[in-house]
Amino acid sequence: MRVAICDDSVHDAELICALLREHFEKNGFAGELYTFSSGEALEEAFAACPFDAVFLDIYMGGMNGLETAQRLRETGCDFSLVFITTSRDHALDSFSLGTNDYVVKPIKREEIDRAFVRCRDVFLKNGRFIEVVSNRMKQKIPLNKIQFMEVYGKEVFIHTSAGTIKASLPLDELEKMVTGTFLRCHRSYIVNLNHVEAIGQDDFRMRDGSLVPLRQRGRAELRDAYADFLSDRLFEVPS
């Protein structure tokens, strides 16, 4: 996930960058951070390679934040937008530009965390992959390649059709990053129903022969969820 921070205050830009970097490290999220001191510089970089999220100061010399956001929206590229400002005077104008959040200075950690989580959720919802840190390296994993995810000991493993990846991210956080065909079937497991061959008394049997256990409580609900999945797939209209 590429994130741009644009603020003509070097101190504020560096603070936002530091808070986002700490958020990434704490939550095991992979992201690239870029800082800009003017709307013009951001616009030029955006044209070369669009960003997934932009943290943008409204009150800047030259092209202000509202004008910059309008220019970026005119490119037709999809991105999350967070305005950083000293006043709420332009709140209504900012929402007309499709802002995801509005942070008022002085900058606070909890507000930056909240704003980024909103951007992250949009990014993950619209994307067809998740991005994790594994062995200190960023990896993008296509959702359709994930078979199941499990906690083993204190580590989390993502089993894919191409192999197994150890992720520096709690299973609860991974659960928030996937939707649709993914089902939390056990405290320690999330299964992708697209890779299930059949459901047994105690587990899902995967197409590669792996067995993914069902939790003791709520097995009837799990069976219903799988039955609904099969029904939806059976009557799905090809696009």
Side-chain angles (χ1 to χ4, degrees), residues 101-152:
D101 211 335
Y102 196 88
V103 176
V104 179
K105 296 181 181 182
I107 295 163
K108 301 179 181 64
R109 180 189 304 276
E110 58 271 21
E111 294 190 4
I112 294 297
D113 284 348
R114 179 200 67 210
F116 176 73
V117 166
R118 289 181 177 177
C119 295
R120 181 204 66 184
D121 288 349
V122 171
F123 172 74
L124 295 172
K125 182 178 180 181
N126 293 339
R128 301 306 303 164
F129 59 86
I130 60 174
E131 200 169 29
V132 300
V133 174
S134 179
N135 297 323
R136 299 184 179 181
M137 296 181 63
K138 293 179 293 184
Q139 290 202 40
K140 291 183 178 180
I141 309 173
L143 294 181
N144 62 359
K145 300 295 184 183
I146 298 174
Q147 298 168 326
F148 64 96
M149 299 181 277
E150 68 170 321
V151 175
Y152 186 78

Side-chain angles (χ1 to χ4, degrees), residues 57-68:
D57 185 27
I58 287 183
Y59 296 102
M60 297 188 295
M63 191 162 60
N64 66 36
L66 294 174
E67 294 169 332
T68 303

Side-chain angles (χ1 to χ4, degrees), residues 38-61:
S38 71
E40 290 83 356
L42 171 60
E43 183 184 18
E44 182 178 353
F46 194 96
C49 188
F51 295 95
D52 301 301
V54 175
F55 285 69
L56 182 59
D57 185 27
I58 287 183
Y59 296 102
M60 297 188 295

Side-chain angles (χ1 to χ4, degrees), residues 20-115:
L20 287 173
R21 187 175 292 112
E22 288 177 12
H23 183 96
F24 290 176
E25 292 174 356
K26 179 180 177 181
N27 294 283
F29 192 84
E32 300 172 2
L33 300 171
Y34 302 83
T35 58
F36 304 92
S37 59
S38 71
E40 290 83 356
L42 171 60
E43 183 184 18
E44 182 178 353
F46 194 96
C49 188
F51 295 95
D52 301 301
V54 175
F55 285 69
L56 182 59
D57 185 27
I58 287 183
Y59 296 102
M60 297 188 295
M63 191 162 60
N64 66 36
L66 294 174
E67 294 169 332
T68 303
Q70 182 63 46
R71 298 283 288 270
L72 298 184
R73 288 296 188 206
E74 288 173 356
T75 65
C77 295
D78 235 356
F79 65 95
S80 294
L81 176 63
V82 177
F83 279 117
I84 311 291
T85 183
T86 55
S87 168
R88 292 190 180 276
D89 290 347
H90 295 285
L92 290 177
D93 294 331
S94 72
F95 285 113
S96 71
L97 289 165
T99 186
N100 296 81
D101 211 335
Y102 196 88
V103 176
V104 179
K105 296 181 181 182
I107 295 163
K108 301 179 181 64
R109 180 189 304 276
E110 58 271 21
E111 294 190 4
I112 294 297
D113 284 348
R114 179 200 67 210

Side-chain angles (χ1 to χ4, degrees), residues 124 127-132 139-150 156-167 169 171 173-184 188-197 206-208 210 212 229:
L124 295 172
R128 301 306 303 164
F129 59 86
I130 60 174
E131 200 169 29
V132 300
Q139 290 202 40
K140 291 183 178 180
I141 309 173
L143 294 181
N144 62 359
K145 300 295 184 183
I146 298 174
Q147 298 168 326
F148 64 96
M149 299 181 277
E150 68 170 321
V156 174
F157 295 90
I158 302 174
H159 299 271
T160 78
S161 53
T164 300
I165 298 167
K166 184 169 68 174
L169 198 63
L171 194 65
E173 285 299 311
L174 285 168
E175 185 178 14
K176 298 174 185 176
M177 297 165 66
V178 296
T179 56
T181 62
F182 288 85
L183 178 66
R184 185 72 175 261
S188 301
Y189 288 84
I190 297 172
V191 66
N192 184 352
L193 297 178
N194 277 323
H195 289 269
V196 171
E197 180 71 26
M206 310 303 291
R207 291 178 180 173
D208 68 351
S210 301
V212 176
F229 163 77

